Amino acid sequence: MPTPVVDVWGSVSPEPRTPVPSAPEPHEEWSLDGGTAWVYYSPLNRRQLVRPVILSDGFSSGASKLDQLWNGLEENGDFRFISELHATGRDVIILGYQDRTASITANADTAIDCIRRAISERVGRSKLVVGGFSMGGMVTRYALAKMERDPALPDHETYLHLSYDSPHHGGWLPVSLQAFIHFAADNFSEDPLVGEYIHLFSGLLNSPAAKQMARWYIAKADDTPAPAPERVAFLQELDELGGWAPGVRRIGVANGVGTGKGNGVKADATAVRGDGQTLKDTWLRTQAQGDQIVARLQKSGGQPIEVHTNGLPEIDGAPGGLFTLPLQDGSDPGSFGLAGLLMLGLRNTVDQGVIPTSCFIPSISAVAAGDLEDPKALYKPITADASELDAFLCASRNEGHTTMTEELGAWIVNEIVANE
């Protein structure tokens, strides 16, 4: 299998056949405690920082990469987000981290450092826009709330916080897939074909940031799904800070619909099944309510492990941003496709008809409008009064997590300009 590469917005892909195009040289590069900020001045501002917009990277492996960030914002979608912000006189600061799997609170300190630097470099008195994509929305949300409460920190001078498909109420990684990753790490981490992949995904799943984000987490294949202690502690800290920075307008978008219409993935369906040299009748199923066996895992010659859940909602098919895994051929195997790729790499036959993807960030989480544990909330239309945000927009279809579209990007630009 090719060398794995994890991209900026939290999806994972093999090394592409052609390199990611290089980003333009930034006008400034700031070295921060725990990260880097790349500054692109608007052509209207004569290479001065006048109206700063800070856009934070999200969860992924390793350090942030400017080329991937730039292309995610400017080249890979159907809307040139940076160019459109520049056209309104906004200067764009892309915020990256040395370790994108570090805790939200740790990277929030880097975000605070970036906000302070932006204020010190700014010409004039325009207030800031601060936000991010995926977990970057949570990092900056926490940073602003902390700056409000900590008397040792300066005023953040921010008028608007934006989040782009961020897990305000948590994200979903199928329990069956989590169990398979743990199982693979226990049994096949030294396999010459897929060992590197297994180490990568196991490291991501068990990282501080992933544990804080995941609404349900298991530490081993036969665990009972529950919020990780790291998530419980983070939510308590965020609550002690007031949850949000008061006086800052909150806007957000979801890559899923707000109508309650699911993505078509049926509950309690076999998502992927493998059998061969290394695995014996191993399969993963999509999540259903009630008592369910969501996975059967067996190493050839070993004893089977059955993974049980009880009381979880039918969340794989819920409206929301989809987990995608872009490959060299342009296909998107997604979350369950990941398991299929590992099974193939372990020299097994994988059944046809694999369910490729699942909901990753439910719409109600992206717009802070409901509890993921509530099966009715997942599938009902989202109303304005249900959200913690001052304004939000849901996509017109369920699409890949953090996909930049004209529909969502143009709405954000308009909100920034209209509410300054």
Side-chain angles (χ1 to χ4, degrees):
M1 297 181 76
T3 301
V5 174
V6 181
D7 78 15
V8 47
W9 305 127
S11 58
V12 185
S13 65
E15 188 72 54
R17 286 172 292 184
T18 56
V20 174
S22 298
E25 192 72 22
H27 297 117
E28 299 286 345
E29 181 174 315
W30 300 342
S31 179
L32 306 171
D33 185 13
T36 304
W38 296 281
V39 184
Y40 291 90
Y41 299 127
S42 167
L44 304 180
N45 294 336
R46 299 181 180 180
R47 296 209 172 190
Q48 297 182 109
L49 191 65
V50 179
R51 290 174 168 163
V53 176
I54 296 174
L55 301 174
S56 169
D57 195 358
F59 171 76
S60 200
S61 69
S64 299
K65 299 175 179 63
L66 175 59
D67 292 345
Q68 292 174 334
L69 282 159
W70 177 272
N71 281 278
L73 289 165
E74 187 74 355
E75 304 291 347
N76 292 342
D78 61 6
F79 186 71
R80 293 183 175 274
F81 193 56
I82 296 173
S83 294
E84 293 295 332
L85 287 170
H86 278 171
T88 70
R90 270 67 187 178
D91 308 296
V92 175
I93 302 169
I94 300 175
L95 170 60
Y97 304 101
Q98 291 175 0
D99 181 4
R100 291 179 287 183
T101 67
S103 72
I104 294 172
T105 53
N107 280 337
D109 288 337
T110 302
I112 290 171
D113 194 17
C114 183
I115 293 167
R116 296 177 70 164
R117 179 68 180 267
I119 292 170
S120 69
E121 298 281 342
R122 177 193 55 188
V123 175
R125 303 298 300 170
S126 292
K127 290 193 173 184
L128 280 60
V129 173
V130 177
F133 290 72
S134 190
M135 192 166 285
M138 296 302 297
V139 170
T140 50
R141 171 182 167 181
Y142 184 92
L144 293 173
K146 184 176 180 179
M147 293 184 81
E148 282 280 350
R149 293 281 182 166
D150 189 339
L153 295 174
D155 185 348
H156 52 67
E157 299 190 36
T158 297
Y159 77 90
L160 184 145
H161 176 264
L162 72 90
S163 56
Y164 202 111
D165 215 37
S166 295
H168 290 294
H169 290 176
W172 167 251
L173 187 64
V175 171
S176 57
L177 179 60
Q178 292 188 50
F180 180 75
I181 292 172
H182 290 310
F183 170 76
D186 290 341
N187 291 282
F188 306 111
S189 60
E190 302 308 314
D191 187 280
L193 291 178
V194 295
E196 190 173 6
Y197 257 84
I198 291 169
H199 282 290
L200 171 67
F201 292 115
S202 179
L204 288 169
L205 173 61
N206 295 302
S207 68
K211 291 178 181 179
Q212 288 176 326
M213 176 189 69
R215 179 60 182 80
W216 291 276
Y217 170 79
I218 56 173
K220 54 185 181 179
D222 58 354
D223 251 0
T224 300
E230 290 86 348
R231 177 169 176 78
V232 174
F234 167 71
L235 292 177
Q236 182 176 346
E237 290 179 52
L238 185 61
D239 184 63
E240 290 171 355
L241 294 173
W244 303 84
V248 176
R249 182 171 175 81
R250 315 165 195 164
I251 68 167
V253 297
N255 283 116
V257 302
T259 62
K261 183 178 180 180
N263 58 37
V265 174
K266 297 184 182 300
D268 199 26
T270 299
V272 60
R273 179 182 177 276
D275 198 43
Q277 294 182 35
T278 53
L279 300 176
K280 177 71 174 176
D281 191 22
T282 289
W283 46 260
L284 315 182
R285 295 184 71 81
T286 59
Q287 190 61 55
Q289 295 185 55
D291 190 10
Q292 181 193 16
I293 301 175
V294 293
R296 184 187 189 277
L297 312 170
Q298 185 176 5
K299 182 179 180 179
S300 292
Q303 294 298 310
I305 299 171
E306 290 187 347
V307 181
H308 292 257
T309 60
N310 193 359
L312 272 62
E314 297 178 356
I315 192 169
D316 286 310
L322 301 170
F323 188 106
T324 56
L325 184 73
L327 293 181
Q328 289 175 310
D329 62 3
S331 61
D332 292 317
S335 52
F336 294 114
L338 163 62
L341 285 172
L342 292 179
M343 288 180 188
L344 284 170
L346 288 166
R347 298 167 296 282
N348 297 288
T349 300
V350 176
D351 284 355
Q352 298 297 312
V354 171
I355 294 173
T357 193
S358 66
C359 178
F360 181 38
I361 306 298
S363 296
I364 61 170
S365 180
V367 301
D371 187 349
L372 305 195
E373 197 167 0
D374 181 354
K376 292 182 179 179
L378 281 169
Y379 288 93
K380 73 178 183 181
I382 300 173
T383 58
D385 61 348
S387 175
E388 298 172 38
L389 304 179
D390 295 306
F392 66 84
L393 180 67
C394 293
S396 56
R397 64 188 182 96
N398 296 308
E399 58 203 11
H401 172 55
T402 66
T403 300
M404 173 54 67
T405 67
E406 182 174 2
E407 176 183 37
L408 302 182
W411 182 86
I412 290 174
V413 173
N414 181 67
E415 283 286 319
I416 289 173
V417 173
N419 291 284
E420 185 175 20

